[in-house]
Every structure is written in C-alpha cells, then in structure tokens.
Amino acid sequence: MKNTINIIGSGFSSLAAACYLAKSGYNVTIFEKNKTIGGRARQLKKDGFVFDIGPTWYWMPDVFERFFSDFNKKPSDYYTLEKLNPAYSVYYGKNDFITIEDTLEKIIKAFEKEEPGSSLKLKKFIKEAKDNYDVAIKDLVYNPGVSPLELITPKTIKKINQFFSTIKRDVRKEFKNERLIKILEFPVLFLGAKPSDTPSFYSFMNYADFGLGTFHPKKGMYQVIMAMESLAKELGVKIITESPIEKIIVENGWAKGIISNGKTYVSDIVLSGADYHHTETLLDKSYRQYSEKYWSKKTFAPSSLLFYVGFNKKLKNVNHHTLFFDVDFETHAKAIYDNPKWPENPLFYASFPSKTDCSTAPQGKEAGIFLIPLAPGLEDTQELRNQYFEKIINRFENLTSQNVKDNIIFKESFCLNDFINDYNSYKGNAYGMANTLLQTAFLRPKLKSKKVNNLYFTGQLTVPGPGVPPSLISGKLVANLVSKHHS
C-alpha cells in the first residue's frame, strides 16, 4: 500500500514537493488554510484589475524549466513567458533614471555611458557571477543542507574566500559610481539581507539579473501556481482549501497525522510548507526543535507594506518594474536590520504589469503594485499605512513628473498583520529567513525534524532559502529526503 502524506500549505515549495512525491508513488493530500492556493503567491481581483499579491519577479527561468522537465513537461505547456525589455528602470531623482534592458550587451553600454571604464569591470564581475551561478545551481542549491561537507567540492574550495567577503565589499572595490553600485547591490535584496551581510558568492544573483534577464508570465505569476496545481492534480494530488491546521498528531515520537477543522487526517508522513516557526507551535513543546530564543536571534528577511492600486488612466515614465532609489539606502537598511522601525524616507518598488499585459487592467487603465520593505515585528496600523502611501505617492508624482492621485479608483493594502493572519508568518516577515553566512545551507533550519520521526519541512525558512526558484528547489530536496527514508 502507498505511504500517505499530508502536506500543510500550498505555496511553491509545497506544490513542488507534492508533485515529486506523487510521481514517486505516494498518496498526497495538501491542506491550505486560505480559500485559494498559492501561499504568498495568491491573486487579488477587483473591478477588472488583476494583481499578484506576492512575487512579481520571474528570475532564473532555468530553475522553472528544470522543475517541469522532471515531469517531462515544459513551462510553455502551461503558460506563456515574455522576456521584459526593459527589465526595469531605477529612479535616482526627478526625471533621472537608468534603464536596465534585456541583454548583457545593452546593460554594459548603459554602465559605460554612466561611468566611463566601468564596462570592463562589469564584464569581469558578471563573468565571476556566472561562474558562481553555475556552481550554485549545479553543485550547491540542490543539496539538502544535512552536512557542511555538501559545501565542499573541487569548485567551491577555489571560492572559499567568497564566503568570507561580502557583496558590498566586492562591488565597491570595483565601482565608484553610487548609482551603479545601487543597481549591483539590488539583486541580493531578494536574499533578504543587506549587501554588507551577504557573502560574495551570492553575486550569482547579478548573473540571474543581467545574464538571464527578467521575464513575465502572461496573466501574471499566479499562472505558475496554476500550472503546478494542474500538474499536481494530473499526478493524483488531492488539494483541500479552507483547512487551517490545529495540531500535528505525534505518538511516541512519530508523526501520525494532522487535525484540521476539528477532523483528524491520519497519514504515514507529515510535511509542512507553512511557516516553520508556526508549524512547530502545532507540536507539543517537547517535540519542537527550535526555541523562541533561537527564532528571535535569527536574521529574518524584511516584511513589506504593499499597495494594490487601480488607476483610471495609463501612467507615463514608468516600466513594468520600476525601482525608486532617490533616498539613502543605508538609512533605510538600518531601519530594517539594525534598529527596527518605520523608515522615515523609504526606498520603494513599483510594478505596473498592465504595461506589458493587457489582461491585468481594463483598457485605458493601469494596475499598480507598490512595495516598501519593512522590518518584521513592527506595529501595523491603518493610519501608518495611509501615511506611508501619501509619502511614496507624492514622491512618485514628483519623480515621474505626473499627477496620479486624482486618478486612483481604489487602493488595497497588505502589511505585517496580513502576513501573520494569512500565512502565520513569523513576525509578519515576507520572504523567510535571510541568507547570511551563518544562515546558509546546513546552518538553516532542517528539512527533516530531529525530534519527530516522519515529520518534514520545506519552504523559505529552510534550505536553500528565500525566493521563488529556491522554493521550487526546496520542494524537490524534501521530496528526495522523504523518498530516501521511506523507500
């Protein structure tokens, strides 16, 4: 008889794990607390507008291709990808921006125009970043984080110094132009840590940015979730929504099932793709691996204040992805990591998917997503949300030389309280645990419980780390681990 597996949560990592486990012959059921699947990658639909609530960047397309190819499928079997050109633009002041286009050659020209002589430095930097990307994707990130020996290969030994230097140090050693530095330091923000705390090896994110490019799935990132749901169901996975988990049943040190909506669901194995800290609160204290003190000392990726805005006209001077770096990065970073508080002058990011994709807004209108990174654990009130929307929309109007406030049809917000309520997110973090040196690979919370047999974890708080591609990989890693111990 097939082993039965109950999976908690339906985000990228849970869906990936479900597909791999079903393919291996397990009887898989997913339990999702919300009405719709996708975890942080859900959708908001309103008045003909469609917004991705969570991830909006499609990077590292090779990871998605590798996932679907494991099932003899291709992304194009499920959704249509468009490479964005420009990938994004970065504002530094009023009508003052740099545009990052869709090929490395064009980006090199833009750097040279900004800082003569920088093109040679950029070529060298991206060559190293590509080498790191190849090592990371082929040798490292598909390891389960069980042993430090996973990090030791002939290739990584040559790069050992890169784990003890930082992105900030490396970038600033080569580049002097602050505008270019900000662009080169930006990708590691996806890893949830400051460039000064991120090992140099993670420059592979710069290759993901400049070398591979930025893509958009037609109709939005939620199409990827729908593709994975379709694949999972093809493989026999059962999905039950509106099923919050009240308890993980453990008998004599063995996971035996879950309780949801007062009903017991017995299984041979329990796998959680929900927030790791929250999942352990579903266990009796004696079965928890990590104490509250452990979690409180960890460096978490930021939370976010997000706004989903419908405009009754098309906006000017912005691209699909637009970054606003017109204020001091260091000051904002300190308000996230060093002295957690609401930043006085926040950097922010805006996405206008309707610039690329007519399905995301009614004709002649614009869908806008605005994001301010915040420290997790802060106070979150409607008054603060409104105050910060005013701050960024005033700057947005000034920087892009247009009036938009009177053209807002509606705005919805999403912040720390929502991350906690909707995802049981620890302190309301948005991206999981940061990838700092002491929180890399085997130093992250484990995929397999050390205290409960047949209990496993996947997602952004375990290996390999935050982001959508790592979540797909995390699902594969945990599925392999389950198969190894229960074949």
Side-chain angles (χ1 to χ4, degrees), residues 318-381:
V318 289
N319 290 311
H320 185 124
H321 296 298
T322 309
L323 303 163
F324 294 86
F325 286 176
D326 55 305
V327 297
D328 185 58
F329 174 88
E330 288 295 329
T331 305
H332 188 162
K334 282 175 185 171
I336 296 174
Y337 297 103
D338 303 337
N339 179 26
K341 61 181 180 180
W342 282 80
E344 197 172 328
N345 294 305
L347 288 84
F348 67 98
Y349 152 70
S351 173
F352 303 96
S354 44
K355 287 281 172 194
T356 303
D357 188 341
C358 63
S359 72
T360 59
Q363 190 171 0
K365 299 178 181 178
E366 204 86 86
I369 302 167
F370 296 82
L371 181 153
I372 301 172
L374 295 173
L378 297 179
E379 178 190 23
D380 170 18
T381 66

Side-chain angles (χ1 to χ4, degrees), residues 2-5 21-22 24-28 269 482-483 486-487:
K2 290 180 184 177
N3 273 328
T4 56
I5 301 183
L21 290 164
S24 296
Y26 293 88
N27 188 341
V28 184
I269 298 158
V482 168
S483 295
H486 304 274
S487 55

Side-chain angles (χ1 to χ4, degrees), residues 49 310-316 354-355 361-367 397 401-409:
F49 292 84
F311 295 95
N312 66 9
K313 69 172 185 180
K314 301 301 285 183
L315 303 193
K316 301 180 299 181
S354 44
K355 287 281 172 194
Q363 190 171 0
K365 299 178 181 178
E366 204 86 86
E397 287 189 323
S401 297
Q402 61 188 318
N403 296 318
V404 300
K405 272 199 241 181
D406 293 339
N407 300 99
I408 293 173
I409 305 168

Side-chain angles (χ1 to χ4, degrees), residues 449-484:
S449 173
K450 295 177 285 188
K451 289 197 173 183
V452 180
N453 292 300
N454 295 4
L455 175 60
Y456 295 83
F457 300 83
T458 187
Q460 301 193 107
L461 270 74
T462 180
V463 291
V468 176
S471 292
L472 294 182
I473 294 167
S474 186
K476 180 172 186 172
L477 294 178
V478 77
N480 288 344
L481 212 55
V482 168
S483 295
K484 178 182 172 183

Side-chain angles (χ1 to χ4, degrees), residues 94-138:
K94 186 176 175 66
N95 302 322
D96 177 16
F97 57 88
I98 292 177
T99 299
I100 300 300
E101 294 191 71
D102 61 339
T103 67
L104 183 55
E105 291 72 25
K106 292 175 187 174
I107 297 165
I108 286 168
K109 283 181 184 173
F111 266 58
E112 186 65 25
K113 184 180 175 186
E114 181 66 28
E115 181 187 338
S118 64
S119 58
L120 290 174
K121 293 175 183 177
L122 182 62
K123 283 179 187 175
K124 177 186 166 191
F125 184 81
I126 295 299
K127 184 176 183 294
E128 182 71 34
K130 181 185 185 304
D131 195 41
N132 286 353
Y133 188 89
D134 290 341
V135 171
I137 296 302
K138 288 171 187 167

Side-chain angles (χ1 to χ4, degrees), residues 67-88:
F67 169 76
F68 284 105
S69 72
D70 285 342
F71 304 92
N72 296 316
K73 303 282 187 180
K74 302 186 294 293
S76 58
D77 293 334
Y78 298 98
Y79 54 88
T80 303
L81 269 188
E82 179 180 349
K83 190 173 189 182
L84 295 181
N85 186 28
Y88 56 91

Side-chain angles (χ1 to χ4, degrees), residues 148-345:
L149 296 177
E150 293 170 3
L151 294 176
I152 302 169
T153 70
K155 288 180 181 176
T156 57
I157 286 169
K158 293 176 186 173
K159 294 178 175 291
I160 195 72
N161 62 315
Q162 290 192 34
F163 287 92
F164 298 97
S165 185
T166 67
I167 291 289
K168 180 175 180 176
R169 195 178 304 155
D170 286 8
V171 168
R172 289 170 187 269
K173 188 171 66 180
E174 295 291 342
F175 299 88
K176 303 302 172 216
N177 182 301
E178 278 296 326
R179 293 149 64 93
L180 299 183
I181 286 169
K182 282 181 177 178
I183 292 172
L184 289 168
E185 289 182 345
F186 148 68
V188 302
L189 299 180
F190 284 95
L191 301 170
K194 290 191 294 186
S196 57
D197 291 333
T198 304
S200 301
F201 181 74
Y202 285 102
S203 68
F204 67 73
M205 292 297 291
N206 293 102
Y207 176 70
D209 180 1
F210 289 180
L212 297 175
T214 303
F215 294 79
H216 172 72
K218 195 173 180 186
K219 297 186 181 177
M221 284 292 287
Y222 197 68
Q223 295 302 304
V224 187
I225 290 291
M226 290 173 68
M228 295 176 77
E229 176 191 29
S230 178
L231 175 60
K233 286 181 173 176
E234 285 172 43
L235 294 162
V237 175
K238 186 179 178 185
I239 300 174
I240 306 173
T241 54
E242 297 183 86
S243 295
I245 307 304
E246 285 125 45
K247 192 167 181 66
I248 296 172
I249 303 164
V250 181
E251 294 176 6
N252 301 318
W254 292 80
K256 293 291 185 180
I258 56 173
I259 299 173
S260 175
N261 292 328
K263 185 178 176 184
T264 298
Y265 295 86
V266 174
S267 63
D268 301 303
I269 298 158
V270 175
L271 165 59
S272 180
D275 178 275
Y276 205 122
H277 168 270
H278 169 72
T279 302
E280 290 222 309
T281 68
L282 302 174
L283 298 163
D284 292 336
K285 270 193 174 176
S286 59
Y287 291 126
R288 297 173 194 172
Q289 305 167 88
Y290 305 107
S291 66
E292 288 298 320
K293 188 177 178 184
Y294 169 89
W295 293 111
S296 68
K297 285 186 170 180
K298 292 297 166 188
T299 301
F300 274 80
S303 186
S304 300
L305 169 55
L306 290 136
F307 296 100
Y308 309 98
V309 186
F311 295 95
N312 66 9
K313 69 172 185 180
K314 301 301 285 183
L315 303 193
K316 301 180 299 181
N317 305 328
V318 289
N319 290 311
H320 185 124
H321 296 298
T322 309
L323 303 163
F324 294 86
F325 286 176
D326 55 305
V327 297
D328 185 58
F329 174 88
E330 288 295 329
T331 305
H332 188 162
K334 282 175 185 171
I336 296 174
Y337 297 103
D338 303 337
N339 179 26
K341 61 181 180 180
W342 282 80
E344 197 172 328
N345 294 305

